[in-house]
Amino acid sequence: AALADLIAATVASGKPARRIEAAPYLMAIRTEVNDELGELSRGIEAAIHSLSQTGKLVTLTWNSAEHHVCRQTLRQLAHPCTCPPALPCVCHKKPLIRVLTHKSLYPSAEEVEANPASRSVRLTAAEKLGTDE
């Protein structure tokens, strides 16, 4: 509560301080302290490894930081080669997945009207390739 009051007073800049204005800063601190984005990346990788061959994974992300981590993790699993593009591949790393959504899917206007909380959700899907790991 004291931290929220301090942040709110700092952000208020002359206006009466309200704790609600501290919410994004408190969320950012919580996200960093709990390593939530790192956990998201590790969770996606674990989910892909636990899928059966040709299984599908669908992710829903609610903010741009989550979405960025999700897309980067899926892209790395789909294109794991670390060799320079101009040179032949010598690492021989095989893709684990194929990303099914080249652009994220957003909720329709009807869905947002029926469920306003869905307005910022982005859906991304991937399919595990049937190769041996």
Side-chain angles (χ1 to χ4, degrees), residues 33-81:
V33 167
N34 295 334
D35 189 27
E36 292 177 8
L37 298 177
E39 287 293 322
L40 174 61
S41 179
R42 290 184 291 276
I44 290 171
E45 287 186 38
I48 291 292
H49 288 290
S50 69
L51 287 174
S52 62
Q53 289 188 0
T54 70
K56 292 178 179 58
L57 175 73
V58 174
T59 62
L60 296 174
T61 54
W62 273 265
N63 64 52
S64 60
E66 290 174 353
H67 180 68
H68 178 73
V69 168
C70 177
R71 292 293 293 174
Q72 287 296 104
T73 303
L74 293 177
R75 190 173 294 128
Q76 180 184 2
L77 294 170
H79 305 287
C81 180

Side-chain angles (χ1 to χ4, degrees), residues 13 47 79 115 122:
S13 65
H79 305 287
N115 179 11
R122 295 171 86 172

